Amino acid sequence: MPPPDEKRYSSVLSTCAQECELGGLDFSTVLQEMLIEGKRPIYLAIVTRDKASENTRDSLVFALLDACRPLSSATINTIRLACMVASDNVFLQELFKDIPPLSPLSAKDVLLLGPNNLRDHVDVHQKLDGTGPFVAYIRMPRFRLRLRILDTLAVEFAASHRIWMLKFRRIVKTAAANVPPVEMVSPYLELGKYSLPTAVNASLSIPGSSHPGENRGRYLTPSHTFSFGCTHKLSPGRLLLTDDDGTCLLHESVDSSGTFHARLESRYQEAYVTLWRGGEIVDSAGRTPARGPNAIPDNKKIVAQSDAASISSSIVPLQPRPRKISAALFRRRACKKKFSL
């Protein structure tokens, strides 16, 4: 049963819907437009909610969601962006249950998880303002079954004012003709859409799990630790492999019930501040970013106030610098112009 506040908000929104209907307007469409300072109402409701509250079901947000249905793809992206800006992973995990298109689970995933409403869950420990390092505890039920059928699994969470995705791929290795193939798990880390690029220094720990043994009552499978690190800025949509391209056996990655447990620890991340200095774009340490497909364009300026305290960035067009030419090239051009006359 919804809380009393949610009923009150729903009553007010229902009255607004009736007025819109009298005027020939679709209230759901109107409510998903950028009505308040260029933002959608659902965005402001999420970023201004009290994260310290023990009640994860925010009455205003869920009343707005009910009034907005069916949700457009733009609204779903706005919800993900708002959770990222607020670094509110608790609420994001709650919304995954209520909004299936927002969740990283596919339709096959939902079927394999069964009728008991099992869900992947990520519990993030970080500062209340979302700055600094974080530790994420991951739990994925029926991991082995799902990975064998789907070949790829992923969990998504918000931390340090960014969206992160931890992905797992199934690899089958065959050593010899008479040896049965071995199933391996390979982890990847990805920065989600809308996130600011950042250097990564993280480790993934998969604890050993207990299984029945033959010689003794129980034996413990070994634990595994993988490191993720890149000194350059990891951009959204780019996969980050482990430092040693490590893998572990599939049966060693789950406990006796088939549930996968892991701990992802991200250490201090360098503040991402780009400045325009001396005709070049440099980072906060004064280094020029490497050129490549993810390099910052020469005619753009990206300003981010801090690593996590401010997500808002502005792109300001800059005037192109005049091209410098040598004295010899200038004389040749002048000569060519003279003779052409």
Side-chain angles (χ1 to χ4, degrees), residues 2 4 26 30 41 50 64 76 86 101 113 141 145-146 158 164 193-194 214 250 275 281 318 330:
D26 181 17
V30 173
D50 184 13
L64 284 172
I76 292 174
L113 285 170
L145 171 66
R146 293 159 58 198
W164 300 90
K193 192 177 180 182
Y194 307 119
E214 294 180 359
L250 178 57
L275 306 170
I281 294 178
L318 299 174
F330 178 78

Side-chain angles (χ1 to χ4, degrees), residues 1-16 55 57-64 66-67:
M1 179 180 296
D5 286 344
E6 188 172 337
K7 289 183 178 179
R8 188 176 75 252
Y9 292 135
S10 298
S11 176
V12 173
L13 293 171
S14 178
T15 303
C16 294
N55 183 18
R57 186 176 178 88
D58 189 279
S59 300
L60 177 58
V61 174
F62 280 96
L64 284 172
D66 291 339

Side-chain angles (χ1 to χ4, degrees), residues 14-273:
S14 178
T15 303
C16 294
Q18 293 174 7
E19 294 296 327
C20 284
E21 187 176 357
L22 292 176
L25 297 174
D26 181 17
F27 183 60
S28 172
T29 304
V30 173
L31 203 56
Q32 296 183 67
E33 293 179 355
M34 298 182 178
L35 302 174
I36 308 172
E37 297 294 330
K39 302 293 184 183
R40 293 179 173 86
I42 190 67
Y43 174 90
L44 296 175
I46 292 176
V47 298
T48 57
R49 68 179 295 270
D50 184 13
K51 292 198 300 180
S53 174
E54 296 181 356
N55 183 18
T56 59
R57 186 176 178 88
D58 189 279
S59 300
L60 177 58
V61 174
F62 280 96
L64 284 172
L65 286 175
D66 291 339
C68 286
R69 298 183 191 275
L71 300 176
S72 66
S73 58
T75 300
I76 292 174
N77 289 334
T78 297
I79 294 171
R80 179 178 281 105
L81 176 63
C83 291
M84 181 195 76
V85 171
S87 200
D88 195 347
N89 178 71
V90 174
F91 198 55
L92 179 64
Q93 301 297 319
E94 184 70 21
L95 291 175
F96 283 159
K97 304 175 186 177
D98 194 73
I99 311 173
L102 181 68
S103 170
L105 292 178
S106 64
K108 290 183 178 179
D109 246 332
V110 175
L111 290 175
L112 292 173
L113 285 170
N116 296 328
N117 201 25
L118 297 175
R119 287 291 185 272
D120 297 333
H121 185 74
V122 183
D123 184 19
V124 175
H125 292 195
Q126 60 180 344
K127 292 182 180 179
L128 189 60
D129 60 359
T131 60
F134 66 86
V135 178
Y137 295 92
I138 299 114
R139 178 175 54 83
M140 303 176 70
R142 298 190 175 179
F143 181 81
R144 181 163 50 186
L145 171 66
R146 293 159 58 198
L147 194 61
R148 281 175 173 170
I149 295 175
L150 301 176
D151 286 332
T152 303
L153 294 177
V155 289
E156 183 177 338
F157 59 94
S160 295
H161 294 286
R162 292 177 174 89
I163 293 292
W164 300 90
M165 296 186 71
L166 185 61
K167 297 186 174 182
F168 301 92
R169 185 163 63 95
R170 173 176 168 265
I171 301 174
V172 179
K173 293 185 177 180
T174 304
N178 299 329
V179 178
V182 179
E183 293 178 305
M184 311 292 291
V185 179
S186 180
Y188 303 88
L189 189 63
E190 181 180 346
L191 198 58
K193 192 177 180 182
Y194 307 119
S195 301
L196 282 177
T198 181
V200 177
N201 183 10
S203 62
L204 177 68
S205 301
I206 303 176
S209 55
S210 299
H211 295 273
E214 294 180 359
N215 300 329
R216 304 176 66 178
R218 299 174 70 85
Y219 70 91
L220 197 66
T221 60
S223 59
H224 300 272
T225 302
F226 304 94
S227 297
F228 297 97
C230 64
T231 55
H232 65 279
K233 305 298 182 184
L234 178 65
S235 301
R238 299 295 299 271
L239 288 175
L240 180 62
L241 309 180
T242 56
D243 291 344
D244 54 355
D245 197 17
T247 58
C248 69
L249 294 173
L250 178 57
H251 73 273
E252 292 181 351
S253 63
V254 296
D255 61 14
S256 56
S257 65
T259 302
F260 173 85
H261 298 273
R263 179 179 185 269
L264 178 67
E265 179 179 2
S266 173
R267 302 171 186 86
Y268 175 77
Q269 300 176 33
E270 177 187 359
Y272 182 67
V273 182

